[in-house]
Amino acid sequence: MATPDLIVGVDFGMTCTGVAYASASTGVQSLRVIDDWPGKSHKDEIKTPTRLVYNLDSPGEKETTVLSWGFQCNERDRNDPTKTLRDWFKPLLESEHLNQKNQTLAEAGYPAQSEADVTRWLEDYLSQIYRHIKQKISSQYNWETSTVVFIFSLPTTWSSHAMIERKFKNSIFRAGFGSVGTNHKVELGLTEAEAAAVYTADAGHNIYQEGEVILVCDAGGGTTDASIHRISSVIDKHVELDALLPVQGMAVGSTRIDTQFAILAQEWLQSQGFPERDAEDLARTMMDGEDFQNIKRLFGHPKDPSPPEYKWRIPKLESETSHGSNQHLELKVSRYDAAKTFSLEVNI
């Protein structure tokens, strides 16, 4: 393929996925980030949640049709017996994490998840991303005749797992990427740690000087990556880097903060008399809700109002419960205890 008309970058993440594209001839001058996603009425979200909701033929039966994805998904779907919400499945592409997840599911009395299940969720989700990219770009370029290169970043933890990369690339193709004859091509690009370092260097081209060393920590939803590079040269706006150490990634991310909050909420709900399964469902709904997520994003930020206590109203259960009405119950957590949910993530 000659110089492509378009380069499309896809950052497939555990919690959220982002897409940017640019003309290969003009580069960053034409860079566009997709910020309007199905389920959002305004353009200010540069990423969409990595999640799907499936319809079930009947409760407990096989997942069939994708009903919604990204921002279209509703937390109430998680407790609907005719639907299944799938998220946080990216780490399960590695057999080690899938085995650990199945052990946890078995202990809780849930059925195991197979590699085929995870592959289906991945491909169904990426196919939705592909259709949205096509819809957005087709309004500006001729999709069929334009030469397009799709570049996917890779988890740093996969750096020595060629088999996982091959499976991932096959799933990308089956989702629709690279399906327009020889005009469209798929490439697996830099690891996420390397991409973060390149972005940091490019953004600070007028700050860094030759010989300086930069440490970049990219803390995401499912992984945290670190890299150390020396600035080998700065010419105009072009910065070149030399890696001082191999990039490193850990399966540690902000979802651990979510999990710690869910544990805290579930323990409190059970202390209030909720059955274990109801408490677990309610805690997960609260964890995914905007109230907690907004507090998490602002915690420690200069715009954080820093209240001495946080309050969360307990959501309504879809089904009847022996506990009765919970519409006036509130979970109250001190700022000190809220900070503890971050401690595990930071200390690791």
Side-chain angles (χ1 to χ4, degrees), residues 7-14 16-20 47 50 90 93 122 126 129 133 149-159 161 164-169 172 177 185-199 218 220 223 225 247:
I7 297 175
V8 181
V10 182
D11 178 17
F12 168 64
M14 174 175 171
C16 291
T17 295
V19 177
K47 290 189 175 184
T50 304
K90 179 183 176 182
L93 294 169
L122 169 66
L126 289 181
I129 292 291
I133 292 173
V149 175
F150 300 97
I151 301 178
F152 284 74
S153 57
L154 288 170
T156 307
T157 53
W158 291 3
S159 58
H161 295 76
I164 300 175
E165 292 182 13
R166 285 196 299 271
K167 290 180 179 179
F168 183 50
K169 193 169 186 178
I172 292 170
F177 294 90
K185 183 181 179 182
V186 172
E187 293 182 2
L188 300 182
L190 300 174
T191 65
E192 290 160 359
E194 292 167 337
V198 170
Y199 174 81
D218 178 17
T223 57
D225 303 323
V247 294

Side-chain angles (χ1 to χ4, degrees), residues 126-134 143 150 175-177 179-180:
L126 289 181
S127 69
Q128 300 295 333
I129 292 291
Y130 175 75
R131 282 195 281 269
H132 189 63
I133 292 173
K134 179 179 178 180
W143 186 255
F150 300 97
F177 294 90
S179 60
V180 183

Side-chain angles (χ1 to χ4, degrees), residues 5 35 158 179 204 210 225 235:
D5 299 313
D35 60 1
W158 291 3
S179 60
E210 185 175 330
D225 303 323
I235 302 175

